[in-house]
Amino acid sequence: RKSLLFYHSGFWSNIVRLSHLFSTQTFRVQFRSALFAVIAESFSHITVSHLPAQHREWKSERDRLLNLAAGETEYRKMRVGFHKQLARFDNGDPSSAKITHWCVGVNCCQGLTQADRSNHCFIMLCKYFYFLFALGYAVPLTYRWKHAQPALRFCEEGCALHAILPRVMDRLSQGNPVNEKAQEAVRILE
């Protein structure tokens, strides 16, 4: 197992470093702000009468993500639940950089106006992406192989789902300011 982890130079050490960063409150707050900013920039809310024809392909891709998150532990079951809730509001292509909600009527999203429904959907996306990614993962230990699988799954999910993890990390490294919509989401979800 170790030979696989250390095959790519810097891969495992970066996974461990990221877990240490998540253990600090300051980093988690910055990560959350950057996460919400990436979602705000990528989000679109489209009202339709029927879901697009590609919806079945997107659903099977999302099912693959659910299989990544699945497991017997309480933590894994909780992650699957968050993925299922997220799928209600992120029903577009999970491999695309664009986070799209295809709204199929009044019962789909809460709100009286289009803007209210769009804002509700955005807030719910922020909430479930937060639960999935902004809390990080336990520090993996290679000598006992403890927490290694959850750390690898976290990174795989974060890369497979709208490439959200690399995009947030890129935004953090560039020090891009948070936009107004992301600040509103932080305020609402605190």
Side-chain angles (χ1 to χ4, degrees), residues 80-95:
V80 167
F82 291 146
H83 272 289
K84 287 180 179 179
Q85 291 298 320
L86 178 65
R88 291 177 49 218
F89 302 100
D90 175 19
N91 57 359
D93 182 0
S95 63

Side-chain angles (χ1 to χ4, degrees), residues 38-46 58 62 89-102 125 129 160-164 167:
V38 167
I39 294 169
E41 291 168 356
S42 308
F43 176 63
S44 63
H45 185 272
I46 303 170
W58 300 337
R62 186 148 316 260
F89 302 100
D90 175 19
N91 57 359
D93 182 0
S95 63
S96 166
K98 199 129 182 75
I99 300 172
T100 307
H101 176 67
W102 298 91
L125 282 168
F129 270 108
L161 188 60
H162 303 290
I164 199 81
R167 291 167 59 204

Side-chain angles (χ1 to χ4, degrees), residues 106 109-117:
V106 195
C109 305
Q110 290 180 5
L112 298 174
T113 66
Q114 173 71 16
D116 289 344
R117 288 191 290 275

Side-chain angles (χ1 to χ4, degrees), residues 16 20-21 33 43 55 58 61 67 70 98 112 137 150-151 156:
V16 173
H20 283 293
L21 285 172
S33 296
F43 176 63
H55 184 260
W58 300 337
E61 179 65 22
N67 287 336
K98 199 129 182 75
L112 298 174
Y137 51 93
E156 188 175 5

Side-chain angles (χ1 to χ4, degrees), residues 125-151:
L125 282 168
C126 288
K127 176 181 175 180
Y128 291 112
F129 270 108
Y130 172 82
F131 288 144
L132 285 169
F133 298 109
L135 302 175
Y137 51 93
V139 177
L141 307 171
T142 50
Y143 70 92
R144 289 182 18 210
W145 201 248
K146 187 171 177 140
H147 305 300
Q149 196 64 35

